[in-house]
Amino acid sequence: MHQEHKLLNARLRELLSRIYPNESAPDLARAIIAAFWPEGTVPRKRARTPSNRLWSEKDAFLITYGDTIIDGAHKPLDLLEDFLSRYMGGVVDGVHILPFFPFSSDDGFAVTDYRAVNPQLGEWSDISRIASNFHLVSDLVLNHVSSQGNWFNQYRQGKAPYDKFFYEADPDQDLSAVVRPRTTPLLQKIETRGGDRHVWCTFSHDQIDLDFSNPEVLLEMLRIIRMHIEKGVRTLRLDAVAFIWKEPGTSCIHLPQTHAIVQLIRLLVDYTFETVVLLTETNVPRSENLSYFGNRNEAHAVYNFPLPPLILHAMQSGSAEYLNRWQATMPPAQLGCAYLNFTASHDGIGMRPAEGVLPSDEKNRMIETAQQAGALVSMRTMPDGTEAAYELNCSLFDAMRTTFKGEDDHHFDRFICSQTIPMSLEGIPAFYVHSFLATPSDNEAVERRGMNRAINRHRWHYPDLLERMEDEGSDQARVMKALSGRLRIRARQPGFHPNATQFTLRLDPRLFGVWRQSLDRYQSIFAIHNVSDETVTVSPHELNMIEDDNWRDLLSGEEIDASADTIIFAPYQCRWITNRDGPAPADRAS
């Protein structure tokens, strides 16, 4: 065994002794290595060390379902591949295909078989083909599986090893401290060959929680991860990861064993020859979310969950006060870590990350304004039995129609401004496909499917979508052109590297601005966004712009005089003011 592999083994044993103190750590370590490197495959000699080379300013992601685009004749994954090649080449380099496995509910997040592709979408060859052209992000729903899948069916029949795969609890226990994102009962009574059991259901009664206190569950998940890597997956999105370890009497969220399991997975992918990134999905307040960076030994990337509600509030209110205040206190990501910046997702705009950031009256006004634009509100049960807003469900394009003042003529510019902000910030920008496509709220889907989240999960008929894209005056074509153009510009600017220096600017509250500087200090960018319907001016002296440099707005092409009195921002105008356009000459030559 290589000396470095001895280090891997020692680190595995240390983690396993924390997760499973009553099991043999050496035996478990051998089983894990056999599960993750089967059939004679071996780890790297050395672990991949934390660095800022895992990503660059060229990185941006598209988030989509495998069947967002349909036509009734072709496989949806074939249509998705066609859409990506037509519109996304050179615009984004990665695509997150939301769960593409067979499932029973929750639009894919109640997985019945992790080793198969949903035949209604396509097959593994389609997934691998997309992965050959785009960095592929895939979901690993660690916390639970479908009640209709083989694992749970085998559990009910008492067949090993699945008879110990699911978390059982006593309904007489005090579970009031458990943190949950749903209002349904936590426990579900089910019949098994061994009698009635009460199984744990954090999310729904069709999504049965796995019991990670059984190491066989972890081993099986590691085998699945290895298979997905071999199929071309390069970023693993650990969905619902915060809930995977249960201890009655606690909150059952973010427990030490949960973090240790994430550290174990990170350790393994650091030893893979394939470059694999871990992305954790934890829709919780900031400090809890940031804890999944660990000490550069857990997730490579975390979702920047406060961004969606704060950007929406800024656009509605015409003030970046709370967005500025929050951003100014955000720590830079550690070496080897990055934020994933987004404004919309397949779920909704989470309200928990706004806790402690937006005052209650501002949060309530934001919700009321979004409801005027057609948004729905999903609730969660609090420990005292009351309910609180968990997320806003809406098309973000529609949500931007209305401000605290009401509707106006700035809808398009306001929306583009909202999407430019995540392009400007430290981290990697990610865009939900329906934001790229200016998709309106699908209220018919809500009525038909009986779920709020369906409002932002529209399925486009591909011929109709192509017709819209060919119409230069359509919302779809206009938004696609604007966002694609800005992302192409961004990809050439080293000042927008995900780990480039960032400083939050103190400006007029109607402006949200950051200063970015490339890692080699060659390029500076002042990324400033007017979130109001008013014309705002700023002095170059406020920005400390160096007068000897030649400054230009990358978005408008306008030359900016650093000695002038003011720089003018039209309503919702964004400017990327830089002293250089592109990387340093030596970098160009390389």
Side-chain angles (χ1 to χ4, degrees):
M1 179 182 291
H2 289 287
Q3 181 65 33
E4 292 80 7
H5 290 173
K6 290 181 179 178
L7 294 176
L8 166 62
N9 209 288
R11 180 62 178 143
L12 269 178
R13 292 183 185 188
E14 189 273 328
L15 287 169
L16 290 167
S17 67
R18 288 158 48 192
I19 304 168
Y20 304 110
N22 297 323
E23 303 285 342
S24 168
D27 290 346
L28 270 182
R30 284 191 291 270
I32 283 174
I33 289 173
F36 204 72
W37 285 283
E39 300 176 5
T41 59
V42 295
R44 289 164 48 105
K45 290 183 179 179
R46 295 179 178 84
R48 194 172 284 104
T49 56
S51 75
N52 54 30
R53 296 188 297 274
L54 286 175
W55 35 68
S56 76
E57 57 273 14
K58 296 179 176 63
D59 286 309
F61 288 92
L62 182 76
I63 306 166
T64 182
Y65 278 103
D67 60 353
T68 292
I69 300 170
I70 57 175
D71 68 359
H74 300 88
K75 291 185 292 186
L77 288 175
D78 281 345
L79 299 180
L80 175 59
E81 183 185 20
D82 184 78
F83 172 79
L84 292 171
S85 64
R86 282 177 187 252
Y87 299 108
M88 294 289 103
V91 176
V92 301
D93 72 333
V95 58
H96 173 196
I97 306 178
L98 291 155
F100 47 77
F101 317 103
F103 69 99
S104 56
S105 66
D106 199 19
D107 283 350
F109 287 91
V111 178
T112 59
D113 185 358
Y114 260 122
R115 288 186 163 81
V117 172
N118 182 352
Q120 294 182 348
L121 299 179
E123 51 197 31
W124 276 117
S125 61
D126 303 313
I127 294 293
S128 296
R129 195 166 58 249
I130 292 173
S132 67
N133 294 307
F134 292 87
H135 181 110
L136 181 61
V137 184
S138 176
D139 288 279
L140 186 69
V141 188
L142 281 175
N143 183 68
H144 52 261
V145 296
S146 168
S147 67
Q148 307 301 310
N150 180 62
W151 289 8
F152 195 62
N153 287 335
Q154 296 292 311
Y155 162 82
R156 296 185 70 167
Q157 295 174 37
K159 294 184 178 179
Y162 305 105
D163 57 334
K164 297 180 181 178
F165 260 43
F166 296 92
Y167 196 89
E168 301 174 355
D170 182 346
D172 294 328
Q173 286 180 300
D174 181 6
L175 302 176
S176 60
V178 175
V179 171
R180 299 184 61 223
R182 298 290 186 273
T183 57
T184 53
L186 175 62
L187 301 183
Q188 177 185 184
K189 182 180 178 180
I190 54 100
E191 295 180 1
T192 74
R193 180 165 292 179
D196 290 344
R197 297 287 187 271
H198 290 83
V199 292
W200 197 285
C201 304
T202 298
F203 289 86
S204 80
H205 283 188
D206 186 40
Q207 294 162 296
I208 315 298
D209 285 35
L210 293 164
D211 186 358
F212 275 88
S213 68
N214 174 8
E216 290 300 324
V217 173
L218 176 61
L219 285 167
E220 187 62 16
M221 279 297 182
L222 294 177
R223 295 184 190 103
I224 288 167
I225 290 174
R226 164 50 61 185
M227 187 201 76
H228 289 185
I229 292 172
E230 292 174 352
K231 297 294 187 181
V233 173
R234 290 298 176 264
T235 290
L236 290 163
R237 178 182 183 267
L238 305 184
D239 181 76
V241 65
F243 303 96
I244 63 175
W245 198 272
K246 282 81 174 169
E247 285 187 6
T250 74
S251 64
C252 297
I253 186 171
H254 316 311
L255 296 185
Q257 295 90 338
T258 294
H259 284 282
I261 288 172
V262 176
Q263 290 170 29
L264 187 148
I265 297 172
R266 169 66 181 269
L267 177 67
L268 296 176
V269 300
D270 280 347
Y271 272 92
T272 59
F273 283 96
E274 304 88 351
T275 302
V276 178
V277 171
L278 293 187
L279 169 65
T280 49
E281 184 271 334
T282 50
N283 192 354
V284 292
R286 184 181 72 177
S287 61
E288 299 172 43
N289 188 36
L290 296 183
S291 71
Y292 285 87
F293 279 144
N295 185 21
R296 302 189 305 171
N297 61 349
E298 294 190 33
H300 296 90
V302 301
Y303 281 84
N304 214 342
F305 276 110
L307 263 185
L310 287 174
I311 288 178
L312 178 59
H313 178 270
M315 294 297 159
Q316 290 176 333
S317 67
S319 170
E321 175 187 355
Y322 296 103
L323 179 60
N324 272 313
R325 187 181 301 176
W326 165 79
Q327 185 60 65
T329 62
M330 281 293 287
Q334 305 171 62
L335 179 67
C337 300
Y339 296 109
L340 191 79
N341 297 321
F342 72 112
T343 57
S345 75
H346 61 289
D347 287 342
I349 296 175
M351 298 307 297
R352 282 207 70 203
E355 293 174 7
V357 182
L358 279 178
S360 295
D361 57 340
E362 292 292 329
K363 191 160 50 177
N364 291 337
R365 193 172 183 190
M366 179 178 74
I367 293 172
E368 291 168 4
T369 303
Q371 287 177 308
Q372 292 170 16
L376 305 174
V377 183
S378 293
M379 310 298 287
R380 70 184 179 101
T381 300
M382 304 294 285
D384 63 2
T386 62
E387 293 187 353
Y390 174 69
E391 69 181 16
L392 288 173
N393 303 110
C394 56
S395 150
L396 188 63
F397 187 70
D398 275 1
M400 292 292 168
R401 293 185 186 277
T402 305
T403 70
F404 288 178
K405 298 178 181 179
E407 292 193 26
D408 56 26
D409 296 328
H410 298 296
H411 177 212
F412 176 80
D413 291 333
R414 183 162 51 243
F415 180 74
I416 298 302
C417 178
S418 77
Q419 301 306 288
T420 306
I421 290 174
M423 299 183 200
S424 308
L425 294 176
E426 175 195 348
I428 302 167
F431 302 89
Y432 188 38
V433 65
H434 290 304
S435 294
F436 248 108
L437 299 179
T439 307
S441 293
D442 193 339
N443 292 295
E444 185 276 331
V446 175
E447 294 182 13
R448 174 168 45 85
R449 303 184 60 198
M451 57 182 289
N452 286 357
R453 286 178 169 177
I455 199 169
N456 199 25
R457 298 179 180 180
H458 179 72
R459 291 186 177 93
W460 277 98
H461 183 57
Y462 202 25
D464 294 342
L465 178 59
L466 291 176
E467 184 178 343
R468 298 280 188 95
M469 299 298 283
E470 291 169 3
D471 177 3
E472 294 183 357
S474 71
D475 289 335
Q476 287 66 42
R478 294 175 69 208
V479 168
M480 177 65 74
K481 180 179 179 181
L483 298 187
S484 297
R486 294 189 177 190
L487 281 168
R488 290 180 189 277
I489 292 171
R490 180 187 183 277
R492 301 195 301 268
Q493 315 308 322
F496 284 138
H497 184 285
N499 299 120
T501 298
Q502 176 171 290
F503 179 78
T504 306
L505 302 173
R506 299 292 188 179
L507 303 170
D508 185 297
R510 294 168 292 180
L511 299 176
F512 174 68
V514 293
W515 173 68
R516 305 295 308 279
Q517 186 181 55
S518 58
L519 295 170
D520 61 4
R521 299 190 178 185
Y522 176 77
Q523 182 187 45
S524 286
I525 302 174
F526 292 96
I528 305 174
H529 319 78
N530 183 359
V531 302
S532 77
D533 61 355
E534 301 169 359
T535 298
V536 184
T537 60
V538 63
S539 167
H541 302 292
E542 289 184 74
L543 305 177
N544 292 324
M545 292 175 63
I546 301 172
E547 292 191 8
D548 292 340
D549 281 354
N550 297 316
W551 297 91
R552 186 169 72 89
D553 179 3
L554 292 168
L555 297 180
S556 69
E558 179 184 353
E559 299 295 329
I560 303 296
D561 185 356
S563 63
D565 291 332
T566 59
I567 303 171
I568 299 173
F569 286 80
Y572 302 106
Q573 182 177 8
C574 304
R575 290 187 184 272
W576 289 344
I577 302 171
T578 186
N579 59 342
R580 307 280 192 272
D581 185 356
D587 294 334
R588 292 179 190 270
S590 64

